[in-house]
Amino acid sequence: KRRRGWIRMIVYVVLVLGIGVLLGTLGWNWAADLMGFGKSDVNIEVTLSEDYFDIQTEEVEDLDSSGKPYTYEETTYVVDVDYVADLLESKGLIKYDWLFKLFVNMTDSSGKMRPGTYVLNGTLDYRAMISSMGTTTENRTTVDVTFIEGSTEDQVFDLLVENEVCTLEDLQDTAANYDFDYYFLADEALGDYHRLEGFLFPDTYEFYVGDSAENVLDKMLEQFNNSFTEEMREQVETMGYSMHDIVTIASIIEKETSGIDRADIASVIYNRLERPNDETLGFLNMDCTIYYVTGRTVTTEDYTEVDSPYNTYLYTGLPPGPIANPGFDSLYAAVFPNDTSYYFYTLNPESGTHEFSVTYAEHLAKVRRYSG
């Protein structure tokens, strides 16, 4: 009996010790995963898809520094924690998805993450990992994208999609329906994503991969706002044209030349609009406006077959809107055109510059000279 008692005691002690060792080992493994101990020092790219976020925007009232009330839009993001935990486990960044979910729920961190692509180091603890997947983190993957002057809005969107900055669906939906707060968009009706044509300023930008379309488009619109100087705004107010008209004219200038004669081309446009003669009759007769709707070069014989208000051979005045996104030089030329009597111009293939004419007869003589 005494021997059996000792045996039971030994088994009990071994069992207790075994359970203690097991729990200690598990506890250490859990703690190591939580704190990032013993993990590989490698960088791994992770993309949080916007599809797994509950995104809500609401208007919030507040007071400014002078005590006056104002409202602003506040957007909240709440991510599907199961999705994030499964993703991080599949990437080898965490070992225990249940532990990560428990940590997120206990620390109320589901609203701290944002859609996007991030580079996470394997040694990060849970808290640092969550912080690294937020909007202001330095771990977000960035890409430089250059938009050339004269790019259309569709070309801008294609380049953003190609560089994985945004999806085409989000870009088009945001451009059509998000009410960006800029004075130059005040008269641009919501509903058609082409409403931003002409206002997406061509430049080189650094974007986050997987960023929101709102942030991306706002960045380009803000650059337009900063580039259109106060001097230019004041001049527009004296011209009898809307910002929509000015940008439309600038986009035509942009597509008609890449040289230094923009202000002379601008004078041709304004002369035809404001002082139509017996030869122009108020028609701009610009090939580039037709290309905008056809997407291809159209021969002179086919111009009459393109029944569109963008066909400035068939419809007088300006087309319905901008046909590209002009750069600063074209915008400036549209606001400050040269004062000339020109109504026509043709390209000199030898010099690569345009030659300008007052009369149609003079213009035809130059066309024959350079086409012969």
Side-chain angles (χ1 to χ4, degrees):
K1 289 181 180 179
R2 188 177 298 173
R3 186 179 297 114
R4 285 199 297 271
W6 277 105
I7 292 173
R8 283 197 294 269
M9 183 179 294
I10 291 172
V11 170
Y12 175 76
V13 171
V14 170
L15 183 62
V16 170
L17 290 174
I19 292 173
V21 170
L22 177 62
L23 290 176
T25 301
L26 288 174
W28 169 254
N29 289 336
W30 296 338
D33 198 51
L34 181 102
M35 302 301 294
F37 297 150
K39 292 184 179 181
S40 300
D41 186 10
V42 294
N43 291 324
I44 299 175
E45 188 173 272
V46 172
T47 298
L48 298 186
S49 171
E50 192 172 282
D51 295 338
Y52 292 89
F53 283 80
D54 178 20
I55 305 174
Q56 297 184 0
T57 301
E58 63 178 349
E59 287 194 349
V60 179
E61 294 185 356
D62 203 346
L63 299 177
D64 61 20
S65 57
S66 64
K68 294 181 179 179
Y70 72 98
T71 61
Y72 64 94
E73 289 188 342
E74 184 174 76
T75 303
T76 59
Y77 296 77
V78 179
V79 72
D80 182 341
V81 181
D82 290 342
Y83 157 72
V84 179
D86 291 342
L87 178 63
L88 296 179
E89 186 180 41
S90 69
K91 293 285 188 177
L93 288 162
I94 62 173
K95 293 181 179 178
Y96 308 105
D97 61 342
W98 65 268
L99 184 61
F100 181 83
K101 288 186 281 188
L102 178 64
F103 178 84
V104 171
N105 291 329
M106 290 183 64
T107 57
D108 194 24
S109 301
S110 60
K112 296 180 179 179
M113 291 170 274
R114 297 290 185 272
T117 299
Y118 306 89
V119 176
L120 305 180
N121 189 273
T123 61
L124 293 175
D125 60 47
Y126 286 2
R127 186 179 299 278
M129 203 173 294
I130 292 168
S131 297
S132 296
M133 292 185 286
T135 54
T136 59
T137 176
E138 295 180 357
N139 296 291
R140 296 193 69 176
T141 302
T142 61
V143 60
D144 290 336
V145 184
T146 298
F147 305 99
I148 63 172
E149 297 173 342
S151 299
T152 65
E153 185 173 358
D154 286 328
Q155 290 171 332
V156 168
F157 286 3
D158 287 343
L159 200 53
L160 289 169
V161 172
E162 180 184 328
N163 285 274
E164 300 180 342
V165 177
C166 300
T167 66
L168 181 60
E169 180 183 8
D170 288 343
L171 286 165
Q172 291 180 344
D173 180 66
T174 302
N177 301 309
Y178 188 85
D179 192 10
F180 292 96
D181 187 20
Y182 291 99
Y183 76 94
F184 49 82
L185 295 178
D187 297 327
E188 305 295 330
L190 298 175
D192 181 359
Y193 76 86
H194 286 107
R195 61 190 290 269
L196 300 186
E197 187 78 84
F199 300 99
L200 301 177
F201 195 80
D203 205 341
T204 297
Y205 298 87
E206 182 182 58
F207 296 117
Y208 289 123
V209 172
D211 203 350
S212 71
E214 178 187 337
N215 290 340
V216 170
L217 296 177
D218 186 70
K219 196 169 189 176
M220 301 183 73
L221 294 170
E222 180 65 24
Q223 187 70 346
F224 179 96
N225 187 55
N226 293 336
S227 299
F228 208 89
T229 66
E230 187 64 31
E231 176 194 24
M232 294 165 69
R233 296 183 194 183
E234 292 174 356
Q235 176 65 14
V236 171
E237 292 178 0
T238 70
M239 298 176 69
Y241 290 89
S242 67
M243 275 295 295
H244 181 89
D245 294 336
I246 293 296
V247 176
T248 299
I249 293 169
S251 70
I252 296 174
I253 296 169
E254 191 68 69
K255 299 301 284 188
E256 285 292 307
T257 184
S258 59
I260 60 174
D261 51 13
R262 300 172 198 265
D264 282 335
I265 289 181
S267 74
V268 170
I269 294 173
Y270 284 111
N271 286 340
R272 291 186 180 185
L273 289 174
E274 299 174 359
R275 294 180 291 277
N277 57 19
D278 293 338
E279 296 169 322
T280 61
L281 301 174
F283 291 94
L284 289 183
N285 294 343
M286 299 289 177
D287 297 353
C288 60
T289 63
I290 302 177
Y291 301 161
Y292 181 68
V293 291
T294 63
R296 60 184 175 83
T297 301
V298 180
T299 62
T300 304
E301 293 75 17
D302 294 334
Y303 284 159
T304 57
E305 297 180 8
V306 182
D307 188 8
S308 166
Y310 283 92
N311 187 342
T312 50
Y313 284 83
L314 290 182
Y315 293 84
T316 58
L318 290 171
I323 60 171
N325 293 286
F328 177 79
D329 289 341
S330 293
L331 288 167
Y332 193 86
V335 178
F336 296 103
N338 285 342
D339 184 10
T340 76
S341 298
Y342 299 144
Y343 280 85
F344 306 93
Y345 56 87
T346 188
L347 181 67
N348 181 334
E350 297 177 0
S351 65
T353 60
H354 288 106
E355 293 187 7
F356 294 82
S357 305
V358 175
T359 68
Y360 188 57
E362 181 186 356
H363 171 66
L364 279 181
K366 292 178 180 178
V367 170
R368 294 191 188 99
R369 183 193 316 160
Y370 296 129
S371 62

